[in-house]
Amino acid sequence: MLESKYEHYQKIGYSDKKAKAYAEEWVAMPGTSEHELGLCVDIASGDSRVTNQEVWDWLAKNSYKYGFIERYTAEKQDITGIIPEEWHYRYVGEKAAKEMYENGLCLEEYLQKAS
């Protein structure tokens, strides 16, 4: 997947260096994806009665109650280094998720605070 995204950016005219950088904003390096590690899920509607945005809005307000966090938000992109993905959720447990939600922390900030 990373290679095809890299090739896409090259084909539309980006230099090798920029194509690689842009591709890595969208796709994790092989072997490092939270999906590959079994730590997260991508969530979408899958139902014509409810839009993805409605699902993501509900998740943003309620997922912490079930131990999940929205992993990559626009507000924390400078910290996570990953573009916003409002569909990407990671399980961290109810206690951690609640603390992160109530304090507006991303995982990196939470872990730094805990150490």
Side-chain angles (χ1 to χ4, degrees):
M1 181 128 186
L2 181 62
E3 187 64 30
S4 64
K5 189 62 95 171
Y6 171 69
E7 290 171 0
H8 165 75
Y9 284 119
Q10 282 183 310
K11 285 179 184 174
I12 61 173
Y14 288 100
S15 68
D16 287 347
K17 184 177 179 179
K18 283 194 176 191
K20 183 178 185 299
Y22 288 142
E24 289 174 359
E25 286 183 9
W26 282 95
V27 182
M29 296 296 290
T32 66
S33 164
E34 291 185 331
H35 291 287
E36 284 183 74
L37 298 172
L39 299 172
C40 70
V41 295
D42 287 346
I43 302 173
S45 168
D47 184 334
S48 62
R49 295 172 291 172
V50 180
T51 68
N52 282 337
Q53 193 60 56
E54 289 171 312
V55 169
W56 298 330
D57 289 346
W58 185 91
L59 286 167
K61 295 175 187 167
N62 295 285
S63 64
Y64 76 93
K65 298 172 187 173
Y66 306 96
F68 287 87
I69 58 161
E70 181 180 343
R71 184 64 178 96
Y72 303 115
T73 65
E75 299 81 26
K76 303 296 181 170
Q77 183 175 350
D78 60 324
I79 297 168
T80 65
I82 305 293
I83 60 166
E85 294 184 352
E86 52 195 351
W87 55 85
H88 188 102
Y89 277 77
R90 179 169 173 160
Y91 185 78
V92 295
E94 290 177 25
K95 182 180 175 189
K98 182 178 181 190
E99 185 175 338
M100 292 168 68
Y101 179 82
E102 290 176 347
N103 293 290
L105 302 174
C106 66
L107 182 60
E108 287 78 3
E109 292 170 313
Y110 179 76
L111 293 174
Q112 184 177 13
K113 182 181 170 198
S115 61

